[in-house]
Amino acid sequence: MHELLKMYLIVCPLIFLGGFVDSVAGGGGLITLPAYMMAGVPVHFAAGTNKVVNGCGSATASVKFFRSGKILLHAALCAALGALAGGYIGAEIAKLLSEGLLKGLMLVALPVVALFLVLKKDFGQDAGERRYSRRREMLVSLAIGLVIGCYDGMIGPGTGTFMIMAFTALLHMDMVTASGCSKVGNLASNIAAAVSFIIGGKVMWALVVPAAACSMLGNYCGARYAIRGGGKKIRGMIFVVLGMLFVKMLADLFL
């Protein structure tokens, strides 16, 4: 009992923080997954518990964005469908390619993305009128889900962040709407992964309820912050996530 209480004290605050960050700009897994391992949870159980808990948080954020009118539902659902297929394909590719090669490519890509955001100040500002037909939005969203879902299956961290940027760049969504749509896509991949871990018996259920409550609260607060703060707040958080992701990749590669 004492050991479980210690786990709660380590995990719960970090899960809240990870949920907050994730609902704003993606990348919350960079905080939540290490939290379980810091508490002494074995790595496979940490991954499984993380997926179940993050699924609850993603659902909460998705509902908040939807109720605020910040989700294009047809685009979000197509992205979710693509993410399900992409996640499976990515996992299969990951079995064939060197993890070091994949992370090396990411170390090159991340500073380029950050530089792009610095130079293009108007990126992700209010989109105004829709520029594309519903059919094109659905096809592009499906492709976004497929490609970034594939990345999720191969590497994983920062999936929500890249999905936000893809919606913004390819469909000219404002960052708040892009963030809302990305949560639906992420929810789909979380559910698929969570089912796999549950069937495999790799979930620490004693942690799920308190951690899920903290994740849902963090995601709710983060979604509210993003909706009220607009694209400027999300843009700032994206820089934080890209920085965390770069440091993680660097550490994984060399340490």
Side-chain angles (χ1 to χ4, degrees), residues 173-190:
M173 291 183 186
D174 63 273
M175 278 196 171
V176 179
T177 303
S179 187
C181 289
S182 77
K183 293 312 298 176
V184 178
N186 255 353
L187 176 59
S189 59
N190 274 329

Side-chain angles (χ1 to χ4, degrees), residues 158-177:
T159 298
T161 308
F162 296 129
M163 201 171 279
I164 290 170
M165 295 187 69
F167 277 124
T168 307
L170 299 179
L171 290 176
H172 298 280
M173 291 183 186
D174 63 273
M175 278 196 171
V176 179
T177 303

Side-chain angles (χ1 to χ4, degrees), residues 143-163:
I144 289 171
L146 185 65
V147 172
I148 298 179
C150 190
Y151 163 80
D152 193 20
M154 285 192 293
I155 304 176
T159 298
T161 308
F162 296 129
M163 201 171 279

